[in-house]
Amino acid sequence: MYREQIDAYIDAHKEQLIDDVMKLVRIDSQRTQEEPGKPYGEGPAEVLEAAKELMDSYGFAVRNYENRVVTGDFNEKEKQLDILAHLDVVPVTKDWTVTEPFKPVIRDGKIYGRGTADDKGPAMAALYAMKAIKDLGIELDYNVRLILGSDEECGSSDLVYYYGIEKEAPMSFTPDADYPVINIEKGHFSKKFHAAFEDCEALPKIVKIQGGDKVNVVPANAKAVILGLEEQAALDAAKKAENETKVKFTVTKNQEEIVITAKGVAGHASTPEVGNSALTALLQLLAGLEAAPSQGFDRIRALAELFPHNDYYGKGMGVDMEDEISGKLTMNLGVFQYSPTSLSGQFDSRVPICGTEENVTRVGKKNMEEAGLTMEEGPMTPPHHVPGDSVFVQTLLESYETYTGIKGKPLAIGGGTYVHGLERGVAFGCMVPEVDNHMHGDNEFMDIDMLVTSTKIFADVIVKLCKK
């Protein structure tokens, strides 16, 4: 009944929608040093104020939560739906070629600029969905609230603050991910570990290992320095490991030291099978050397067993598991350093719904202790799940299918979204997995047709969920 009216309204206001997206993109809202009254710095506070002015001008009741979050309410009735988006952005480089990051342009049906896809464009799509319903005079029996945060990229302390004051709505979604709908986000088991031991003078011995820069990235580079090893032995070991792992090894001699470098393929920790870890390949090589016995070398061999090369699923750690709806646990050794007297590192594991403190955290801790390694204390971030057969999720899928003509089904991911901490929150739009919007990269863009379609989808969802 209302769909044709809403669709015609959104089509008629397409240029205004684009203008408002570009208005927000022009604001550099990277987090900076805290200032009085501006917990995330000048840019995030400025973009929140700009969004507040827009929501106020479009007739919504607005509130600013200490320059962390701003909200816009459709009406004063009982709240049924929260839509969460964020207006802060990730850092930029000077390598953009289409435009400068904060000077948005339109080319080939796309808006280019930092934040167009993540998450200023989707935020404005949600706002214009509410605006269409309000301007058309469509009465809602429940309230929908748009929540715009400003610290998603640096840990979501904005939502911690907000939900310390406000209650979660019966239903929540964030348009900060992919269609059709993400209703499962795996748990996060990421821990640092360390060990200390006595130096050993006997040769050959490993004096240094360095691999990885970020725990959530499969290491593409790693290096080891070995003292007292014959060059030919190193070359033979490198050739053998290269054949076994498909990682490229280079051996160089520097006076009395042998330096072995490994070149693999980077990947995200949530999908480690896409990469090829230089670090675990190097550990495999080193564990097979005829090095002098020592406490340090024992730890290296133990690590090679805990994190075997191409063990993407935590079998070496003893935590491999899988369930039907969220898939397999994944494991990535992301960062590692070694010296003659100590080692330290950090791994990143994404845990399916069947994972618990008992069968993941405690098992991992026990097996690391048996290997002579100390794992940091603390629980894992538990998996997040909203049932796929719920009225909420099925309504989202129905609206998605209506406007795209594509049959949708709920998705499980290894990463986390803006609603991971909400009991009843899912991720819904605005991107599709097959299109690379260059989120977090150079030349980020938002497809205008997808922006308009998403606005219509969101409006359809709001009416269905908030009107009896």
Side-chain angles (χ1 to χ4, degrees), residues 164-388:
I165 299 171
E166 302 288 357
K167 292 183 178 180
E168 179 183 340
M171 305 172 187
S172 301
F173 77 81
T174 181
D176 185 23
D178 291 334
Y179 287 120
V181 62
I182 296 168
N183 71 315
I184 297 172
E185 299 174 21
K186 290 182 178 179
H188 197 193
F189 176 46
S190 178
K191 296 293 183 183
K192 295 178 180 179
F193 60 88
H194 66 273
F197 34 82
E198 294 181 3
D199 192 4
C200 177
E201 297 298 326
L203 300 179
K205 74 172 183 178
I206 299 163
V207 295
K208 182 179 180 180
I209 306 173
Q210 177 71 47
D213 298 309
K214 296 181 179 179
V215 67
N216 65 343
V217 176
V218 176
N221 298 286
K223 181 173 75 171
V225 179
I226 309 165
L227 189 62
L229 183 69
E230 293 293 330
E231 185 176 6
Q232 189 58 51
L235 289 168
D236 292 343
K239 182 178 180 180
K240 180 175 182 291
E242 192 167 300
N243 290 334
E244 294 172 345
T245 67
K246 309 308 178 186
V247 166
K248 176 67 176 177
F249 289 96
T250 303
V251 176
T252 56
K253 184 175 178 60
N254 182 14
Q255 295 182 344
E256 299 301 316
E257 296 180 340
I258 293 292
V259 179
I260 302 177
T261 58
K263 180 65 176 178
V265 179
H268 195 276
S270 62
T271 53
E273 68 278 4
V274 174
N276 191 10
S277 174
L279 176 55
T280 56
L282 180 60
L283 288 174
Q284 178 176 312
L285 183 159
L286 297 174
L289 293 177
E290 294 295 330
S294 68
Q295 294 179 356
F297 190 52
D298 287 344
R299 302 301 195 283
I300 292 171
R301 284 181 164 173
L303 272 170
E305 293 181 2
L306 286 170
F307 300 99
H309 188 67
N310 287 348
D311 175 17
Y312 310 118
Y313 308 118
K315 186 175 181 180
M317 182 81 81
V319 294
D320 54 317
M321 61 186 65
E322 179 180 7
D323 59 50
E324 185 176 352
I325 60 175
S326 59
K328 296 181 178 181
L329 179 146
T330 60
M331 178 67 73
N332 176 59
L333 177 60
V335 180
F336 182 67
Q337 302 89 28
Y338 175 91
S339 76
T341 59
S342 68
L343 64 80
S344 63
Q346 188 173 4
F347 62 85
D348 184 324
S349 176
R350 310 301 167 101
V351 182
I353 294 171
C354 58
T356 64
E357 291 297 323
E358 287 73 21
N359 63 16
V360 177
T361 306
R362 293 181 185 175
V363 171
K365 181 178 176 61
K366 174 179 176 293
N367 288 333
M368 293 204 93
E369 286 177 347
E370 290 179 354
L373 306 170
T374 300
M375 188 180 85
E376 69 176 330
E377 300 291 338
M380 70 175 183
T381 301
H384 174 70
H385 177 216
V386 176

Side-chain angles (χ1 to χ4, degrees), residues 9-21:
Y9 177 97
I10 292 170
D11 286 335
H13 290 78
K14 172 181 172 180
E15 297 305 320
Q16 187 181 1
L17 167 60
I18 293 171
D19 286 345
D20 282 351
V21 172

Side-chain angles (χ1 to χ4, degrees), residues 48-79:
L48 287 182
E49 181 59 28
K52 179 177 178 292
E53 290 175 0
L54 286 176
M55 290 191 289
D56 184 61
S57 69
Y58 296 149
F60 300 109
V62 298
R63 178 176 173 182
N64 185 326
Y65 291 77
E66 304 296 334
N67 271 336
R68 300 174 187 271
V69 168
V70 295
T71 61
D73 285 312
F74 187 91
N75 57 34
E76 296 180 352
K77 298 177 182 179
E78 179 184 355
K79 188 169 66 169

